[in-house]
Amino acid sequence: MTVVPASDAVIEVVDLRREYALGRGKPTVLALDGLSLRVRAGGVHGLLGPNGAGKTTLCKILATVLLPTSGSASVAGFDVVRDAEDVRRQIGLVLGGDRGLYAKLSARENLRFWAAMYGMPGAEAAARIDAVIERVGLTDVDLHVERYSRGMKQRLHLARGLLPRPQVLILDEPTTGMDPVSARAFRDLVREVVAAGTTTLLATHDMGEAEALCDEVSMIDGGRLLATSSPRALGELLSTHERVDVRLGTAGSVAELRAELERHADVVSTNVGEDRVMRVETRGRDAVSAVLAMLLARGLTQVSVTSPSLEEVYVHMIGERGMDVR
């Protein structure tokens, strides 16, 4: 598990707990259960988990929209409870859906409203609106928001989030409901924002999105942190079985090769796909060298060793509920 030095952390969460009361005589719902997390400055940090894992609750607390029941959280050194106004000056918040947009106004009119809410002087607001509108590709769009596509609305959300030049950008399920082309374009915009120096916290249950964008990923479920690391390093949590893939070609007996491999004590299984690629599951990394030697001795040189994907880590740690593998 990655440990982020305090000096490098732009977001720090310690033993955070949030309960929701459903009403008199009803049990409380525990959305966050003693969660602790550090997010280093720069890059994209993902919050990956199924619906109901606590991702949105955490984002709302960091954005000062919700108060924690107990524990603490800070953004850029400011406490989200004691220094809420200072925190709001450091962040941009991008939510999914239509929340925060006014359907009967244009993009520029929406942004002028939010610039006023941020207390931007008129000349600064006009220049900043021009800049963010151009960045998200809405310069030539002169429509009321009610006529926007889902992707256009999310680009306007991003423009609103960037308006105050945030140090930290919080994205909560930003591409939910988008078609693949719009989602890819939105992710490209996020990469540009990060390249310009903005730390981004991305809450998602889409593993493809997490692998495509995130430098680090924190898996959470039931309001608890399960693990934090890079997407690739998380695969090492499942390194009990390493995989060797070999293209068989047309020569030799597949049955004979499979029988020889499966006699090896550290080979768990072999499977051959329709494309004549055999996947050999081994019991740990020490077995890989022996398997490779057996394959090379047979003249099979189109071989690769693969690690578990983020999807497999997710299913192993959380299960398939809420899983999105688009």
Side-chain angles (χ1 to χ4, degrees):
M1 184 173 295
T2 300
V3 177
V4 181
S7 59
D8 293 338
V10 70
I11 295 174
E12 293 195 75
V13 176
V14 180
D15 294 330
L16 201 62
R17 186 178 180 90
R18 171 68 194 198
E19 300 174 357
Y20 290 98
L22 297 180
R24 182 175 297 178
K26 296 182 179 179
T28 58
V29 173
L30 186 59
L32 295 176
D33 186 9
L35 188 144
S36 295
L37 176 69
R38 282 180 174 179
V39 175
R40 70 176 75 249
V44 182
H45 191 109
L47 298 176
L48 183 62
N51 293 327
K55 305 186 301 295
T56 294
T57 297
L58 176 58
C59 288
K60 287 183 175 180
I61 289 174
L62 293 174
T64 73
V65 176
L66 286 177
L67 291 172
T69 302
S70 62
S72 65
S74 64
V75 178
F78 296 106
D79 186 272
V80 298
V81 177
R82 295 192 308 269
D83 311 312
E85 288 298 324
D86 293 305
V87 169
R88 290 171 194 146
R89 295 188 186 99
Q90 309 302 317
I91 65 169
L93 178 63
V94 177
L95 302 172
D98 297 334
R99 292 170 292 176
L101 299 179
Y102 295 92
K104 299 297 184 181
L105 301 180
S106 69
R108 289 184 180 278
E109 289 168 338
N110 267 273
L111 292 175
R112 280 198 287 270
F113 170 81
W114 285 107
M117 294 295 289
Y118 286 124
M120 287 186 182
E124 178 188 349
R128 187 62 186 154
I129 289 170
D130 285 343
V132 295
I133 283 279
E134 181 178 0
R135 167 165 278 186
V136 302
L138 293 176
T139 302
D140 298 325
V141 179
D142 187 20
L143 300 171
H144 288 171
V145 169
E146 64 185 354
R147 298 178 61 187
Y148 277 21
S149 67
R150 180 73 177 81
M152 291 168 65
K153 288 178 181 177
Q154 282 308 94
R155 282 189 276 161
L156 180 54
H157 271 302
L158 182 59
R160 173 195 161 189
L162 295 174
L163 198 58
R165 294 185 176 87
Q167 183 175 346
V168 177
L169 182 65
I170 300 173
L171 307 177
D172 184 18
E173 305 282 3
T175 60
T176 298
M178 278 191 192
D179 64 85
V181 174
S182 297
R184 184 167 60 247
F186 186 87
R187 291 166 190 162
D188 288 341
L189 283 171
V190 172
R191 291 187 186 96
E192 292 176 12
V193 170
V194 173
T198 302
T199 301
T200 300
L201 182 68
L202 169 67
T204 183
H205 63 279
D206 182 339
M207 283 163 293
E209 186 163 75
E211 277 193 300
L213 286 177
C214 297
D215 304 292
E216 287 190 315
V217 175
S218 290
M219 289 194 171
I220 63 175
D221 190 34
R224 296 182 179 182
L225 179 68
L226 302 181
T228 296
S229 194
S230 68
R232 177 174 294 182
L234 279 173
E236 295 179 2
L237 295 173
L238 294 184
S239 61
T240 302
H241 292 178
E242 289 289 311
R243 298 191 300 256
V244 179
D245 292 339
V246 55
R247 183 167 294 281
L248 298 172
T250 57
S253 167
V254 174
E256 181 182 331
L257 176 60
R258 291 185 68 176
E260 181 181 354
L261 287 167
E262 290 176 357
R263 283 196 295 270
H264 195 287
D266 289 325
V267 171
V268 177
S269 65
T270 61
N271 292 284
V272 180
E274 293 181 1
D275 54 359
R276 289 186 63 80
V277 172
M278 179 185 291
R279 170 155 292 178
V280 184
E281 297 280 350
T282 68
R283 190 173 283 109
R285 293 178 177 175
D286 293 342
V288 171
S289 295
V291 169
L292 290 176
M294 293 169 66
L295 296 172
L296 292 173
R298 284 180 165 266
L300 297 167
T301 58
Q302 291 184 286
V303 178
S304 63
V305 179
T306 58
S307 298
S309 68
L310 189 57
E311 176 184 336
E312 290 169 292
V313 178
Y314 185 106
V315 173
H316 176 77
M317 300 184 73
I318 296 175
E320 294 187 357
R321 58 194 179 80
M323 185 173 66
D324 187 345
V325 295
R326 290 177 298 165

